[in-house]
């Protein structure tokens, strides 16, 4: 079984500043995939960024980047130049390359961007 | 437009009644998932399916049932055995393992 843990229930950041959201996971698989999803007040889930475990290079998407530490099983999300529209719940997720292929999420971090 | 559709958006039922939530996708995705989200909480996996006519229990399957008779459809039935069914339910699909999961807009179920 795999588990995903987000240890920060809530965070806040000033507009234009940088914030990092933490995520740790536990899996016995060698080949797996990690995700960050954003859920704004509309409750629509939106993919922010995706990382393949076999790739050493950290994924980047515009203002969003990850710090993937495979040995530590850590997958943090950095949001640079925070914008008011980044206010949302953020969920870290994992899925693995076996027959089960469960897509599992952490408990979420509520991020508030303050003007 | 291609996408994943959940209906209805809001659903009210009396306690003790079974209720079925609809999830349809026209993305030709093999994998489909059902999640439950309680206020201020994360997403907990109820059931998932990798292929037609096959599905697996997730972390909180008790009191729920699913079917996967067609690739496009993965309905979830909330049975009277579910002790606390009031919640927000999200359906998702992905083309294969490891790829992006696309989500529906959710169904808010209230049992009175």
């Amino acid at each position: 079984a795999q588990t995903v843990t987000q240890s920060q229930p809530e965070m806040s950041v000033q507009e234009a500043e940088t914030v990092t959201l933490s995520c740790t996971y536990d899996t016995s698989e060698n080949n797996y995939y990690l995700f960050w999803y954003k859920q704004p007040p509309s409750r629509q889930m939106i993919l922010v960024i995706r990382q393949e475990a076999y790739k050493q290079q950290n994924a980047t998407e515009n203002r969003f980047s990850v710090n993937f530490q495979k040995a530590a099983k850590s997958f943090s999300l950095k949001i640079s130049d925070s914008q008011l529209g980044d206010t949302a719940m953020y969920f870290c997720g994992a899925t693995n390359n076996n027959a089960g292929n469960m897509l599992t999420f952490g408990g979420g971090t509520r991020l508030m961007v303050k003007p | 437009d291609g996408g994943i559709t959940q209906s209805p958006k809001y659903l009210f039922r009396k306690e003790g009644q079974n209720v079925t939530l609809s999830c349809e996708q026209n993305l030709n995705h093999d994998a489909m998932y059902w999640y439950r989200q309680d206020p201020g909480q994360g997403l907990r996996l109820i059931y998932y399916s990798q292929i037609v006519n096959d599905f697996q229990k997730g972390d909180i399957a008790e009191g729920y049932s699913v079917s996967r008779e067609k690739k496009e459809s993965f309905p979830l039935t909330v049975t009277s055995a579910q002790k606390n069914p009031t919640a927000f339910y999200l359906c998702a699909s992905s083309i294969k393992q490891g790829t992006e999961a696309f989500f529906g807009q959710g169904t808010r179920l209230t049992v009175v």
Side-chain angles (χ1 to χ4, degrees), chain A residues 99-101, chain B residues 4 23 25-33 47-56 67-74 91-102:
Chain A
N101 193 33
Chain B
I4 181 164
C23 179
Q25 53 98 0
N26 59 4
L27 301 166
N28 201 32
H29 286 176
D30 287 319
M32 296 188 75
Y33 311 84
Y47 269 98
Y48 63 105
S49 169
Q50 295 301 299
I51 197 169
V52 174
N53 293 323
D54 185 58
F55 47 83
Q56 305 294 328
S67 63
R68 188 83 187 277
E69 297 176 1
K70 299 186 298 181
K71 189 175 187 178
E72 313 82 60
S73 179
F74 191 42
C91 180
S93 70
S94 63
I95 191 166
K96 62 179 182 179
Q97 57 200 11
T99 59
E100 175 184 0
F102 290 80

Side-chain angles (χ1 to χ4, degrees), chain B residues 76-97:
Chain B
L76 173 73
T77 297
V78 184
T79 75
S80 56
Q82 168 52 233
K83 300 300 182 190
N84 186 18
T86 294
F88 185 66
Y89 291 87
L90 279 163
C91 180
S93 70
S94 63
I95 191 166
K96 62 179 182 179
Q97 57 200 11

Side-chain angles (χ1 to χ4, degrees), chain A residues 39 43-45, chain B residues 3-11 20-25 32-37 43 46 72 74-76 87-93 102-109:
Chain A
Q39 188 184 44
R43 308 196 82 167
Q44 178 68 51
M45 293 284 284
Chain B
I4 181 164
T5 303
Q6 290 185 244
S7 62
K9 191 172 182 179
Y10 299 98
L11 190 55
T20 298
L21 281 60
S22 170
C23 179
E24 303 278 333
Q25 53 98 0
M32 296 188 75
Y33 311 84
W34 273 106
Y35 294 92
R36 170 180 172 141
Q37 186 177 26
L43 277 67
I46 305 172
E72 313 82 60
F74 191 42
L76 173 73
F88 185 66
Y89 291 87
L90 279 163
C91 180
S93 70
F102 290 80
F103 283 81
Q105 295 203 316
T107 293
R108 172 70 183 173
L109 172 65

